[in-house]
Amino acid sequence: MASIFDGGEKTTSQTLPNPADEQFKSGDANRVSNRLQRSVKFDTVADMKAATGQYELVDGQPVEWLGYHTKGDGGGNAGVFSSTQTIQDNGSVFFVATGGQVDAIFSESINVRKFGATGDGVTDDASSIISCISYLESKIGGECVLDNGVFLHSLSIPLSTSKIKIKGVKATLKASAVMTSQIQMGNGVNRVESQSVSGLTIDGDGKSDYGIQEKSTRISFIQNNIIQNQLEYCIYQNPENSLDLFSEFLRITDNQGFDSKGFYKHTPTSVCKATDNTIARNVMFRASEWFATVNGAQRFSFEDNMIGSHVATFNGGIDIFDDGTFTLTNSAEHTINKLYIESDNTYGSGMIGVQVGNSSSNNIAGCNIENIIVEPANLVTQIAIRTPTGSGEIRQNFINGLDTKAGFSDSIIIESGISWTRISGIRSDNNISSYINDSGSKTIVNSIIEDNFGAGNPPVANSLMTGDFVLNTANGSLFTKDKGGNNIKVTNKIVDFKETRNIASIAAGANLIEDFTVSDSDLGDFVLHSCNINTEGLIMHPYCRGGVVSISIYNPTALAIDLASCEFRLQIYKY
């Protein structure tokens, strides 16, 4: 029932004076002025739009409606009457039957019910949600609130300008028709900033490919959402805009994903990609592919994420690769720390914690991978860095803080063509190398690198840090690197050798030469020797030749000296 509130007292049939009426007296002007200070109230939007001349609304007249569809449904609001009409959106502007319109008054945070959304799980609320966001975009930003209900939508919800937020409070946004994404952040034309989606349950219901699709935003947020039942991934980042500007600084934090191929996917265009993302404290359940796939991106930080799946097609944690779609610069500097992946003996065999691959001409460099836990550990590979299949390289990667407790021989796989991989801080119950399948070059394990540099000093390597050790497998020498980047030889390879000889007594003044075959000796090596018997008085001089160590023995005394059953012990220091 429509009504007028006059001075706080409710009346239902009062007719106010009309200034055009010939009976209108000049003394009634004060009554019109008073009317402008009172709010005309209606139960619903329909009542307000159907208002008759009985209400005699004038410019500036305050108007209130106590609900949108029904009184008290959360869609009530207040506004001001205007005798002119602009464009009606049934949220911020309502036309009334007698002519003119009511302009709604909003704060920066708007409940979508004020634009007619019901949240009843039956009505298609897409147009109401889109109208609310369009109004906020016209005001250069604000927050669209969905609360306490299931909001069906048959159209993707676009966030096209900067400073637009969608916030859920005990609310589900549920797809009711086939669509690419339920929410699209960015417009694919120019780069926008400071968008956010938070607090929602985003349910694709098997109709939407992605819960959220991001296209070239900057400093935006996806946080505290539940995203489920998507045909593809929960979140898809596909940077695209006419200005070729990257997506930057997207924060994806504290979300949960369910029953989709995976949680996050990044695909670049030939000229646009994402950089400097943070993906932290997210949980994914029942994925059928990966937690995340990252193609051709740069400087991503994955921190403290978890995934669990008993789906037969589940691959594992994070797949980093470059297929050459993006053509301008290299992929580099991803950080992955604290990733927990869980399956079981039925579905977990062959899982991979983190995989790095490259089929492009770009380089992938500087991946920092730490604290990866994959269960069941006896069936899975924690980290696999694959042989590049394009002309680009994979190099300068750091692996730290893994637990190889189950003794799986392929816990870490470094394939051929991979260079400068640093592996340290590995927890194991056996020799660390037994858990590493390494075919790469210049792999540093616990800060010691083995490589064949020939007889000379190893070259100064940028991937070595001060205090690292280099073991030259050509001669067993050990080098370290000082603060100035210079090689310092710590020690040479040492070859131990012993052999027992029965030598007849050496007469006074006599000398002889004993040769010992030591294959790992060369001309110029240093050699020390000793014997297990008393050789006092003898002068013994060892020297090295190729594969042979000779000892010259001279007896300068006046007596013969017996060397029967003498064990000669040699220690050779490789040059």
Side-chain angles (χ1 to χ4, degrees):
M1 172 68 69
S3 61
I4 298 177
F5 283 73
D6 185 1
E9 298 298 326
K10 179 178 180 182
T11 63
T12 58
S13 60
Q14 178 181 1
T15 301
L16 297 178
N18 188 338
D21 196 313
E22 62 179 7
Q23 297 179 1
F24 182 77
K25 304 294 190 295
S26 61
D28 289 329
N30 289 334
R31 295 189 64 197
V32 174
S33 176
N34 290 337
R35 184 168 66 214
L36 294 177
Q37 300 176 28
R38 300 191 303 269
S39 179
V40 180
K41 295 190 178 181
F42 300 89
D43 285 345
T44 67
V45 166
D47 292 339
M48 176 180 65
K49 294 179 69 174
T52 65
Q54 158 186 13
Y55 300 101
E56 302 177 47
L57 299 173
V58 297
D59 283 309
Q61 177 75 54
V63 179
E64 293 182 57
W65 51 105
L66 305 180
Y68 198 99
H69 301 286
T70 60
K71 182 178 179 180
D73 65 4
N77 200 8
V80 177
F81 178 77
S82 172
S83 59
T84 60
Q85 290 187 339
T86 56
I87 298 175
Q88 177 175 239
D89 64 5
N90 290 316
S92 67
V93 176
F94 302 93
F95 290 172
V96 296
T98 56
Q101 66 187 36
V102 175
D103 298 314
I105 299 172
F106 294 110
S107 66
E108 290 186 359
S109 180
I110 302 176
N111 192 312
V112 74
R113 295 179 189 273
K114 297 182 186 299
F115 278 77
T118 64
D120 61 7
V122 177
T123 305
D124 184 359
D125 289 322
S127 61
S128 297
I129 299 170
I130 293 171
S131 292
C132 180
I133 292 171
S134 295
Y135 172 79
L136 291 170
E137 291 177 342
S138 72
K139 300 301 179 182
I140 319 179
E143 181 178 71
C144 174
V145 179
L146 285 68
D147 70 338
N148 299 299
V150 177
F151 295 82
L152 295 185
H153 66 116
S154 60
L155 302 171
S156 180
I157 308 302
L159 311 186
S160 300
T161 63
S162 296
K163 300 179 181 179
I164 300 298
K165 303 176 182 179
I166 297 182
K167 179 182 178 181
V169 181
K170 298 180 181 179
T172 297
L173 183 68
K174 187 173 183 178
S176 61
V178 174
M179 61 188 71
T180 300
S181 62
Q182 292 187 253
I183 298 173
Q184 179 175 304
M185 302 174 67
N187 55 37
V189 178
N190 48 33
R191 188 169 65 182
V192 299
E193 297 189 357
S194 303
Q195 295 186 343
S196 76
V197 179
S198 64
L200 277 172
T201 294
I202 302 172
D203 187 351
D205 197 32
K207 300 178 179 68
S208 174
D209 291 337
Y210 306 100
I212 299 174
Q213 183 177 12
E214 190 271 0
K215 299 177 78 68
S216 295
T217 70
R218 187 174 186 270
I219 319 175
S220 292
F221 300 85
I222 301 172
Q223 55 193 8
N224 296 308
N225 300 288
I226 296 173
I227 308 174
Q228 62 191 22
N229 300 321
Q230 306 297 328
L231 294 172
E232 293 290 331
Y233 279 68
C234 295
I235 299 169
Y236 179 40
Q237 192 170 21
N238 179 221
E240 180 181 4
N241 60 76
S242 59
L243 301 177
D244 302 339
L245 298 174
F246 295 175
S247 289
E248 293 181 314
F249 308 113
L250 178 63
R251 301 294 182 260
I252 304 173
T253 60
D254 303 293
N255 301 282
Q256 296 182 51
F258 294 88
D259 300 304
S260 306
K261 286 186 178 180
F263 179 74
Y264 170 85
K265 180 179 181 179
H266 172 273
T267 302
T269 63
S270 61
V271 292
C272 292
K273 67 177 180 180
T275 68
D276 302 285
N277 279 7
T278 297
I279 302 171
R281 301 181 303 279
N282 301 288
V283 179
M284 179 74 202
F285 296 102
R286 296 186 294 274
S288 59
E289 290 187 357
W290 295 91
F291 173 80
T293 68
V294 181
N295 178 11
Q298 191 166 8
R299 292 190 301 273
F300 277 21
S301 175
F302 289 88
E303 182 78 24
D304 203 11
N305 295 289
M306 182 173 74
I307 182 170
S309 181
H310 292 179
V311 179
T313 56
F314 177 52
N315 293 321
I318 299 174
D319 185 22
I320 295 172
F321 64 100
D322 193 325
D323 67 0
T325 300
F326 184 79
T327 59
L328 299 183
T329 60
N330 299 327
S331 303
E333 302 166 2
H334 298 307
T335 298
I336 302 169
N337 186 27
K338 297 180 182 178
L339 175 64
Y340 178 79
I341 306 157
E342 181 273 333
S343 189
D344 60 17
N345 289 338
T346 301
Y347 303 110
S349 180
M351 277 196 316
I352 299 173
V354 176
Q355 177 172 267
V356 182
N358 190 2
S359 59
S360 74
S361 59
N362 301 324
N363 296 324
I364 297 179
C367 290
N368 187 334
I369 306 170
E370 301 186 66
N371 300 309
I372 310 299
I373 298 177
V374 188
E375 298 288 353
N378 61 323
L379 296 171
V380 301
T381 294
Q382 291 171 305
I383 297 174
I385 304 180
R386 304 299 191 186
T387 299
T389 57
S391 59
E393 299 180 355
I394 301 177
R395 64 185 185 219
Q396 293 172 302
N397 299 298
F398 178 62
I399 298 170
N400 181 53
L402 303 189
D403 190 344
T404 58
K405 60 186 179 183
F408 185 48
S409 60
D410 286 337
S411 287
I412 302 173
I413 299 176
I414 311 295
E415 292 186 350
S416 61
I418 309 302
S419 61
W420 293 113
T421 301
R422 174 186 295 273
I423 303 173
S424 66
I426 308 300
R427 299 180 294 275
S428 66
D429 54 11
N430 205 332
N431 187 332
I432 292 173
S433 62
S434 66
Y435 305 122
I436 303 173
N437 184 344
D438 178 25
S439 301
S441 65
K442 301 177 179 63
T443 300
I444 305 169
V445 179
N446 276 9
S447 299
I448 298 179
I449 177 174
E450 295 185 8
D451 206 343
N452 188 331
F453 298 106
N457 293 346
V460 175
N462 291 333
S463 293
L464 292 178
M465 298 181 181
T466 299
D468 279 347
F469 290 97
V470 181
L471 178 62
N472 187 352
T473 57
N475 57 21
S477 56
L478 194 65
F479 292 79
T480 189
K481 185 176 182 180
D482 65 16
K483 292 183 178 179
N486 303 307
N487 290 315
I488 299 175
K489 183 179 287 188
V490 177
T491 184
N492 296 80
K493 179 180 179 181
I494 300 174
V495 178
D496 290 317
F497 177 87
K498 62 183 178 180
E499 185 176 308
T500 299
R501 296 281 177 94
N502 287 307
I503 301 175
S505 297
I506 300 179
N511 106 158
L512 59 87
I513 295 176
E514 287 290 316
D515 292 329
F516 299 87
T517 300
V518 183
S519 59
D520 200 10
S521 66
D522 290 291
L523 184 66
D525 289 343
F526 298 98
V527 60
L528 299 175
H529 81 284
S530 65
C531 297
N532 68 336
I533 63 175
N534 185 2
T535 58
E536 184 179 358
L538 292 178
I539 297 175
M540 305 176 72
H541 176 68
Y543 55 95
C544 293
R545 295 175 290 147
V548 175
V549 176
S550 299
I551 301 180
S552 172
I553 306 173
Y554 171 60
N555 181 4
T557 70
L559 300 173
I561 298 177
D562 186 7
L563 294 178
S565 300
C566 177
E567 183 180 82
F568 289 85
R569 300 167 181 173
L570 307 177
Q571 195 167 67
I572 301 155
Y573 290 80
K574 300 295 296 177
Y575 176 69

